Amino acid sequence: MKENGSSSGDINIIEHKAYARIGLIGNPSDVYYGRTISVNIENFNASVRLEPSSDLFILPHHTHDLVQFSSLNHLTGLSGSSAIACAAFSCLLDFYNVRDKIAVEIRPQLILNAEEELGIVAGLQDRVAQVYGGLVYMDFDKEHMHKHGHGKYTQLNSSLLPPLHLIYAENPSDSGKVHSSVRQRWLDGDEFIISSMEQVANLALEGKTAILEKDYAKLADLMNKNFDLRRQMFGDAALGALNIEMVEVARSVGAASKFTGSGGAVVAYCPDGPSQVELLEDACKKSGFSIVPVKVVPSLLNESDIRALSSTVTP
């Protein structure tokens, strides 16, 4: 947050950023009482600026508004819509001076509630990652969710992660349509979908252990399994040819890869190191995809947030 006084010194400007999210392991089971591991990244962000006024003004930016909202606008699968909502929510917490009064664990649900009123279909994963920052393990156990109104969220030490790369297309598919048929089949009790989603959730539990033990070969295997299970459930038509191609380009050089969210971007890990990264960069360039090293955002929780937090940080 930054505060700037006006010329008369009586107006404070509050500005917050929320960062893109990579679903590393376990997505999309967050929508199905599963588990996920997500990481907040600096590569892309949304920024919201709040100025006190006696009247309510929604002022469009002369260049960007209506066509672009920060660096996240053109990328799906990286939680762009929730980033805008999270940044706005952070501004309001400071404006009303209630940051230490609203529990950190329930903030993601409050943000999701606001988005649902706009017709956005999503799970809690994005909002949890963007509220906490860094690397977060999330358990959306159904009984715990119903009893407490939130999942069990644990921050992990992001320095335990291996080097990751983000692959994306400039004209990605719409991630908002990917969940639809699978969600209904899950609600209808489809045994294949239910069992497959449980397998996806279990990958996150295994992934947590792999990260803590720095077992990166295991992590690579889990990433690949995550995408393969998603593909079996959703089918190629729903995932989109361009999205599948990004995964296959990464795998063509031996890199582990999966969707960051529901499509539009892919996270890749090169277990063989820098030489394999070069091969991946060349393959992406030939296929017309952009690739950048992932820059992890540290924890976003300040002292006031920590006072409103009951979860722990794993060293």
Side-chain angles (χ1 to χ4, degrees):
M1 180 188 75
K2 63 180 181 181
E3 295 184 357
N4 299 311
S6 67
S7 57
S8 60
D10 59 351
I11 296 180
N12 288 327
I13 296 174
I14 300 173
E15 185 169 357
H16 275 285
K17 288 182 179 180
Y19 296 89
R21 175 274 307 134
I22 286 177
L24 187 59
I25 298 287
N27 57 308
S29 74
D30 60 307
V31 189
Y32 307 90
Y33 299 110
R35 307 178 192 90
T36 63
I37 299 175
S38 292
V39 58
N40 236 200
I41 64 171
E42 293 182 6
N43 303 75
F44 302 99
N45 67 80
S47 178
V48 172
R49 179 183 172 107
L50 182 66
E51 299 183 24
S53 172
S54 57
D55 299 302
L56 175 64
F57 291 97
I58 299 177
L59 302 175
H61 189 279
H62 66 282
T63 301
H64 301 300
D65 279 348
L66 302 183
V67 295
Q68 181 173 337
F69 292 90
S70 86
S71 62
L72 272 171
N73 176 65
H74 70 294
L75 297 170
T76 59
L78 288 170
S79 63
S81 62
S82 63
I84 297 170
C86 286
F89 186 77
S90 281
C91 288
L92 292 172
L93 287 177
D94 290 332
F95 180 74
Y96 289 106
N97 195 28
V98 292
R99 185 170 288 277
D100 60 348
K101 297 178 177 63
I102 299 179
V104 175
E105 292 91 339
I106 69 168
R107 293 178 193 174
Q109 185 63 61
L110 295 176
I111 294 166
L112 181 58
N113 290 347
E115 291 186 84
E116 287 177 341
E117 291 185 12
L118 300 175
I120 295 173
V121 179
L124 279 166
Q125 173 186 222
D126 299 2
R127 292 93 198 143
V128 174
Q130 289 165 332
V131 166
Y132 281 72
L135 179 66
V136 188
Y137 171 76
M138 312 171 200
D139 186 341
F140 301 99
D141 176 74
K142 186 175 183 178
E143 183 177 347
H144 189 276
M145 291 281 292
H146 287 174
K147 182 177 181 180
H148 300 283
H150 59 78
K152 294 179 278 188
Y153 312 134
T154 305
Q155 284 190 305
L156 306 176
N157 188 340
S158 60
S159 68
L160 296 173
L161 286 174
L164 301 172
H165 284 77
L166 180 68
I167 302 169
Y168 59 92
E170 291 296 337
N171 296 296
S173 65
D174 178 13
S175 67
K177 297 179 180 177
V178 178
H179 291 304
S180 56
S181 64
V182 168
R183 176 69 176 174
Q184 189 57 53
R185 290 170 64 188
W186 182 81
L187 290 171
D188 291 340
D190 186 307
E191 292 184 5
F192 171 71
I193 296 299
I194 291 173
S195 63
S196 296
M197 204 61 75
E198 288 175 352
Q199 291 180 62
V200 172
N202 287 334
L203 295 179
L205 189 59
E206 295 182 61
K208 178 184 177 183
T209 300
I211 291 171
L212 293 176
E213 296 179 354
K214 294 187 177 182
D215 187 348
Y216 300 139
K218 178 66 173 179
L219 182 64
D221 181 57
L222 295 172
M223 290 172 65
N224 285 330
K225 284 182 178 178
N226 201 150
F227 176 76
D228 293 342
L229 284 167
R230 175 190 280 271
R231 190 173 188 177
Q232 291 170 20
M233 286 187 287
F234 288 90
D236 288 5
L239 298 189
L242 187 66
N243 294 321
I244 293 171
E245 184 183 357
M246 283 189 284
V247 172
E248 291 180 339
V249 165
R251 291 187 176 185
S252 71
V253 300
S257 60
K258 64 177 292 295
F259 287 0
T260 59
S262 297
V266 164
V267 58
Y269 165 54
C270 294
D272 295 337
S275 61
Q276 192 175 36
V277 171
E278 290 183 9
L279 293 175
L280 178 59
E281 290 173 340
D282 289 342
C284 287
K285 183 177 180 180
K286 290 177 182 177
S287 299
F289 299 131
S290 298
I291 178 171
V292 293
V294 167
K295 299 177 182 178
V296 180
V297 174
S299 173
L300 298 174
L301 303 181
N302 60 30
E303 291 182 4
S304 295
D305 295 323
I306 292 172
R307 286 196 294 270
L309 179 69
S310 61
S311 297
T312 59
V313 178
T314 299

